[in-house]
Amino acid sequence: MTLTFSRKSRKSFIRKMIEWIITILAAIIIALFIISNIITVTQIKEHSMEPTLIENDRIIVYKLGYIFNEPDFGDIVILNRGIEERGIIKNMVNEGKDIIDNIKYRFTGEIEKNNLVKRVIGVSGDIINIEGVNLYINNILQEEGYITGSTQAKNNIKYPLEVPEGKVFVLGDNRGKSLDSRDFGLINIDNIKGKVVYRILPFGRLGFVH
């Protein structure tokens, strides 16, 4: 009797463990699906969008919108230059890699600059021109009260340039300390992970991000 009871207890314990493991895995998959394809919270780890976004700000990123619509002028977006294709599963894989990178960042303080936060300045059909410290879009001088520093051309990007379909031109608000389209050129819309919509921390700067 004791032996039979022991075997039943062991089988029951193993069955419960398997059920717990399946439940935990399902929860992880659901959570990963949500943060990779719908909405997530992330932390700013750079200075390139100051004063709009400051290092260590916590922001909400909405990821579903660009499935149905393309980015608009002025949108603040999270982009990853390393993304080559998108899709539900691929997004989950990419998000998993980002989570691992963020865990490493907690211990080392170093992170690979794959994810960047920038402002969309030019969309399909726009003509971008930088002359001296002036930015022109479709021959109209831009009055950008939200920026720090001045907009100057960099590297071998030739202006004026027209933004083709499926691409955007992005800049950081901190123009003197931003790695952006002046350095690496136009960005594929598929490289955009989502739109920054709201800042939740610090509480003193809580609110929508524009």
Side-chain angles (χ1 to χ4, degrees):
M1 290 289 293
T2 304
L3 182 60
T4 302
F5 179 78
S6 178
R7 287 177 177 175
K8 287 183 178 179
S9 298
R10 191 182 304 114
K11 288 181 179 179
S12 177
F13 174 77
I14 292 173
R15 184 166 55 250
K16 288 182 179 180
M17 286 297 296
I18 293 173
E19 290 174 354
W20 273 105
I21 291 171
I22 292 174
T23 300
I24 292 171
L25 287 175
I28 291 173
I29 291 172
I30 292 171
L32 193 57
F33 169 79
I34 292 172
I35 65 175
S36 62
N37 292 285
I38 302 177
I39 196 167
T40 190
V41 175
T42 191
Q43 177 183 358
I44 299 298
K45 302 183 182 72
E46 55 183 280
H47 301 276
S48 70
M49 280 298 293
E50 293 179 354
T52 307
L53 294 172
I54 297 174
E55 187 176 18
N56 295 321
D57 280 0
R58 270 31 173 225
I59 54 174
I60 293 177
V61 181
Y62 180 58
K63 299 188 174 184
L64 201 58
Y66 293 144
I67 294 177
F68 307 104
N69 301 292
E70 294 189 353
D72 290 325
F73 170 82
D75 284 358
I76 298 177
V77 299
I78 301 291
L79 62 92
N80 188 315
R81 292 187 295 150
I83 294 177
E84 297 179 355
E85 57 181 318
R86 297 188 64 80
I88 292 176
I89 303 300
K90 188 66 176 178
N91 291 348
M92 293 172 68
V93 172
N94 290 330
E95 195 66 34
K97 291 178 180 178
D98 287 345
I99 291 172
I100 293 172
D101 287 342
N102 285 330
I103 292 173
K104 292 179 180 177
Y105 171 75
R106 295 294 180 182
F107 291 98
T108 65
E110 298 178 357
I111 191 166
E112 191 173 348
K113 292 280 186 169
N114 287 327
N115 290 316
L116 303 173
V117 55
K118 303 296 168 189
R119 186 183 296 272
V120 175
I121 296 298
V123 297
S124 176
D126 284 342
I127 297 175
I128 308 297
N129 195 13
I130 298 176
E131 294 183 357
V133 296
N134 295 320
L135 171 67
Y136 296 85
I137 302 176
N138 301 322
N139 296 318
I140 299 174
L141 176 63
Q142 301 300 298
E143 300 292 339
E144 302 175 287
Y146 49 81
I147 71 170
T148 296
S150 58
T151 307
Q152 297 180 341
K154 297 190 290 184
N155 291 347
N156 296 317
I157 307 297
K158 295 183 179 180
Y159 302 95
L161 63 83
E162 182 174 356
V163 181
E165 186 175 352
K167 293 183 180 294
V168 292
F169 185 91
V170 297
L171 294 175
D173 288 357
N174 190 354
R175 295 290 160 81
K177 296 182 179 180
S178 176
L179 178 71
D180 49 41
S181 286
R182 294 172 296 168
D183 301 278
F184 47 69
L186 298 165
I187 283 291
N188 291 323
I189 290 178
D190 285 344
N191 290 111
I192 296 177
K193 298 178 64 178
K195 178 181 178 180
V196 177
V197 293
Y198 202 83
R199 176 177 25 244
I200 59 174
L201 286 174
F203 291 122
R205 303 178 67 234
L206 185 75
F208 289 99
V209 178
H210 303 287

